[in-house]
Amino acid sequence: MKQKKQNALSVLLEYAGSHRRLTLLGLGLSAVSMVCSMIPYLCIWLAARDLIAVAPDWTQAQSVTDYGWIAFAFAVGGILIYFLGLMCTHLAAFRTAANIRKQGMAHVMQAPLGYFDANASGLIRSKLDAAAADTETLLAHNLADIVGTITLFLAMLVLMFVFDWRMGAACLLAAVISILAMCSMMGGKNAALMAEYQAAQDRMTKSGTEYVRGIPVVKIFQQTVYSFKAFQQAIEDYSAKAEHYQGDVCRVPQSINLTFTEGAFLFLVPVVLFLAHGALASGDYAGFVTNFAFYAVFSAIISTALAKIMFAASGMMLADTALGRIQPVMDAPTLAVPEHPQTPKDNRVVFRDVSFTYDGAQSPALSHVSFTAEPGETVALVGPSGGGKTTAASLIPRFWDADTGTVEVGGMDVRQLDPHVLMEQVAFVFQNNRLFKASILENVRAARPDASREQVLAALEAAQCGDILEKLPQGLDTVIGTEGTYLSGGEAQRIALARAILKDAPIVVLDEATAFADPENEALIQKAFARLTKDRTVIMIAHRLSTVVGADKILVLEGGRVTEQGTHGELITAGGLYTRMWADYNQAIQWKMESGKEER
Ligand SMILES: Nc1ncnc2c1ncn2[C@@H]1O[C@H](COP(=O)(O)OP(=O)(O)OP(=O)(O)O)[C@@H](O)[C@H]1O
């Protein structure tokens, strides 16, 4: 992938792909147009020289008209070439921006599913969009201006010394001072200060976002704005850094820069006065005045060129920042796809000595986990919070890949299966059911796009969703999340179960959390679970022990390790953690029943 050290321009040209040449052509045309725009000035100088030479008999200055036409031709030609260049850079910029979006999305599509848990898809898209838009401006406008201005500057350097090097040097001196002042603001130890200032700005933006996200919590707990210390701290930190950088560091160089950018002729006047005596003595006073006129006009172009360079440099920084923001997206891990994919033989799920540690975590989430779920068996994962149940279930559909050991489906390492085949084999229902802002029909059909309306209805029926369809205004075609058609957590879970039922996959990975459900919903969800898991291999993350009693095998996961394993009966006799959990569970049920009686 793209190296961080590369500068923004080479990274952008890589993204431009086949439009790289169009970009370069646009930049070349911009440079040519700038050279063309210089010719009229040259013509003015030549015409002035000829006029002064024949003065006061102007009729002898035959060449002046020719110079006029040449100047006109180059001025118009320069403008046309400039627009042609802009067309090329715009076209290339649109294509490059499209490539950034496409390549970004294509890369993210290869990321393991677990990547999306930590990186919201909306955020990924907005990062890519913002970066594409910023780089579009750079490629379409700023870059052409940078190249044009540099060419202008080089051409000016040549011209400066063609007529009278002393006047040229006087004009240039102002530009050199201005550039040195600019460099001192951005280079050396000030570069570190500028980086700190920008980092403080980033921190402020981030904590601002966190603050806005947390507003509901602030309101619920009646906290004041100051309760968000991090945000306040970030604002104060940014303000101190901004004041220091803009005030203490930039004030003097910025004043020097502006003075000499706007006053490029400052040194020209004294130098001309100094040289005037010599010119009078040599007798070429006419040539001297012509040269002075030329440099006086030219010094104004220097100011414009310097201002353009500063503007273009800020565009370059913007593109650099934008590319820096999408770098993490482009660096997202990708799921390794086998060269010669294997086919699963049956519905058996096996964990062989599996260990896994999350990126950046201190301790493993799973350590040497081994178990087998035979075809048609139900294996329940139980244990304390943080024990590793969700992580174990996530390794089956390759949300992540095991660090060591193997996870097998149908006798094959999941890494050796074609990801599409693996997805066809496994249906999952996790706690955070993702329903799209689309109709119920489309939401359920996402599992099997070729399913008929009747098949979708049958799956919804099996998932006990009849009551949901009845109350929705357009039934199956109601779009979720619009016009007040919101679903409760329990209802959303039943729709997600219908999706899994429609998928009809031989292996089901199920998080049976019924946290959102009221008793009525819970009963319906249990029925839907029973329908979904019938005759399939089931790996179930169980939160309430009542649902695991009938499981073929129960694994107790504690601190990432399987500490107990067996049927309900076997584990109860073993007298370990499961026995204590069972006792606690029964006590809780007892309390519930007793308090229910008292209320009555
Ligand atoms: N995305 C993640 N990045 C880093 N660590 C994680 C991540 N997800 C989980 N963990 C850590 O891995 C360990 C196992 O978590 P896991 O969610 O698998 O446990 P669990 O048994 O499913 O818990 P619960 O019953 O509360 O859902 C925990 O220590 C948790 O903090």
Side-chain angles (χ1 to χ4, degrees):
M1 267 292 108
K2 320 287 171 293
Q3 296 299 303
K4 256 204 167 140
K5 287 283 170 228
Q6 276 181 300
N7 66 38
L9 185 56
S10 51
V11 176
L12 278 177
L13 287 178
E14 264 180 45
Y15 281 121
S18 58
H19 290 86
R20 189 190 171 99
R21 278 200 215 121
L22 199 61
T23 312
L24 295 177
L25 176 66
L27 299 183
L29 289 174
S30 170
V32 172
S33 81
M34 279 300 163
V35 173
C36 289
S37 73
M38 304 278 292
I39 305 292
Y41 291 100
L42 204 61
C43 291
I44 291 170
W45 181 85
L46 290 168
R49 187 197 59 183
D50 286 5
L51 281 171
I52 291 170
V54 299
D57 187 4
W58 312 112
T59 49
Q60 286 193 34
Q62 305 285 340
S63 51
V64 170
T65 322
D66 293 341
Y67 289 137
W69 280 114
I70 296 172
F72 177 73
F74 272 95
V76 173
I79 292 171
L80 289 178
I81 293 174
Y82 180 69
F83 278 114
L84 202 62
L86 274 190
M87 269 171 65
C88 294
T89 53
H90 270 77
L91 205 59
F94 295 146
R95 296 284 149 77
T96 307
N99 281 353
I100 290 179
R101 290 187 177 98
K102 274 194 225 158
Q103 285 185 31
M105 286 323 279
H107 182 75
V108 161
M109 288 299 280
Q110 293 169 24
L113 288 169
Y115 174 78
F116 299 95
D117 274 354
N119 300 276
S121 44
L123 205 64
I124 297 171
R125 212 209 63 213
S126 74
K127 268 185 195 171
L128 287 174
D129 272 350
D134 285 351
T135 52
E136 205 173 285
T137 318
L138 175 86
L139 277 184
H141 294 278
N142 297 358
L143 209 53
D145 281 346
I146 293 178
V147 171
T149 313
I150 290 173
T151 314
L152 182 72
F153 220 78
L154 293 176
M156 274 184 341
L157 270 183
V158 174
L159 283 183
M160 284 288 160
F161 295 99
V162 165
F163 304 119
D164 187 321
W165 70 268
R166 293 156 306 182
M167 289 192 210
C171 287
L172 217 59
L173 188 59
V176 170
I177 295 177
S178 176
I179 290 174
L180 285 180
M182 211 161 74
C183 292
S184 86
M185 267 189 313
M186 298 176 175
K189 70 173 174 26
N190 289 341
L193 281 177
M194 192 164 96
E196 273 178 38
Y197 158 55
Q198 281 174 343
Q201 192 171 14
D202 267 1
R203 280 198 298 276
M204 184 174 70
T205 315
K206 273 188 197 146
S207 43
T209 312
E210 278 307 309
Y211 172 68
V212 173
R213 259 195 221 152
I215 282 177
V217 182
V218 171
K219 285 196 161 185
I220 288 167
F221 292 101
Q222 299 289 306
Q223 301 282 306
T224 65
V225 169
Y226 293 100
S227 64
F228 269 63
K229 287 246 167 51
F231 186 33
Q232 189 195 358
Q233 184 63 45
I235 294 174
E236 283 170 4
D237 186 39
Y238 168 72
S239 130
K241 292 229 161 46
E243 253 174 56
H244 176 53
Y245 182 70
Q246 298 286 3
D248 304 343
V249 177
C250 294
R251 194 183 298 137
V252 175
Q254 189 70 286
S255 312
I256 295 175
N257 176 37
L258 283 177
T259 310
F260 288 95
T261 302
E262 296 303 324
F265 60 91
L266 273 181
F267 296 107
L268 183 62
V269 176
V271 166
V272 164
L273 290 176
F274 180 73
L275 294 176
H277 286 291
L280 272 176
S282 73
D284 185 20
Y285 202 66
F288 177 74
V289 171
T290 320
N291 285 350
F292 172 58
F294 175 80
Y295 286 110
V297 173
F298 234 67
S299 62
I301 310 180
I302 297 185
S303 309
T304 321
L306 283 177
K308 269 191 170 183
I309 286 186
M310 280 203 294
F311 182 67
S314 69
M316 202 76 173
M317 274 162 66
L318 198 71
D320 222 15
T321 319
L323 288 171
R325 272 200 305 266
I326 57 167
Q327 201 57 45
V329 176
M330 296 300 190
D331 287 343
T334 51
L335 201 65
V337 179
E339 244 178 74
H340 305 290
Q342 309 287 320
T343 320
K345 293 194 205 97
D346 52 34
N347 313 329
R348 182 178 287 104
V349 175
V350 182
F351 272 54
R352 283 188 209 282
D353 200 26
V354 171
S355 295
F356 175 76
T357 307
Y358 284 102
D359 262 354
Q362 301 294 323
S363 49
L366 291 180
S367 289
H368 307 286
V369 171
S370 296
F371 70 89
T372 301
E374 295 295 341
E377 265 189 8
T378 294
V379 172
L381 308 177
V382 302
S385 183
K389 304 181 289 291
T390 308
T391 308
S394 307
L395 297 190
I396 303 169
R398 293 189 73 191
F399 269 59
W400 312 106
D401 278 336
D403 296 333
T404 56
T406 51
V407 177
E408 294 172 10
V409 164
M412 298 295 160
D413 184 335
V414 284
R415 287 170 290 205
Q416 294 310 318
L417 296 176
D418 178 335
H420 296 289
V421 173
L422 177 65
M423 289 301 160
E424 277 164 17
Q425 290 291 108
V426 188
F428 355 91
V429 184
F430 281 141
Q431 283 189 42
N432 53 347
N433 300 301
R434 302 226 163 101
L435 295 187
F436 317 119
K437 198 170 178 178
S439 68
I440 304 258
L441 176 74
E442 285 165 274
N443 261 289
V444 177
R445 200 144 56 183
R448 236 180 72 201
D450 60 342
S452 68
R453 208 176 158 85
E454 288 65 38
Q455 285 168 319
V456 172
L457 272 171
L460 283 160
E461 186 86 2
Q464 314 293 313
C465 297
D467 60 323
I468 306 175
L469 293 184
E470 265 170 34
K471 72 173 187 183
L472 290 176
Q474 273 105 39
L476 195 56
D477 299 307
T478 310
V479 175
I480 299 171
T482 53
E483 295 162 18
T485 49
Y486 290 93
L487 299 178
S488 74
E491 288 167 342
Q493 196 169 23
R494 278 189 275 149
I495 301 284
L497 283 167
R499 192 193 267 168
I501 290 173
L502 182 69
K503 186 164 179 182
D504 196 22
I507 299 168
V508 177
V509 178
L510 185 67
D511 190 338
E512 63 85 71
T514 45
F516 299 117
D518 51 53
E520 207 171 299
N521 249 320
E522 188 177 329
L524 292 171
I525 289 170
Q526 291 306 330
K527 271 193 195 168
F529 276 163
R531 173 67 181 73
L532 171 66
T533 56
K534 195 163 178 285
D535 302 327
R536 287 165 222 270
T537 310
V538 181
I539 311 291
M540 177 169 69
I541 303 169
H543 296 269
R544 290 157 322 115
L545 295 190
S546 59
T547 50
V548 305
V549 175
D552 299 292
K553 198 175 287 166
I554 300 167
L555 300 187
V556 182
L557 275 168
E558 215 181 338
R561 291 176 179 276
V562 179
T563 50
E564 290 166 49
Q565 175 163 185
T567 60
H568 173 75
E570 285 163 359
L571 292 180
I572 288 292
T573 356
L577 176 65
Y578 185 82
T579 317
R580 290 197 297 280
M581 283 167 66
W582 182 247
D584 290 346
Y585 174 73
N586 282 316
Q587 202 167 14
I589 300 267
Q590 193 65 31
W591 281 339
K592 224 173 165 182
M593 282 166 57
E594 277 167 14
S595 58
K597 268 186 212 156
E598 273 166 29
E599 269 173 30
R600 265 183 258 134

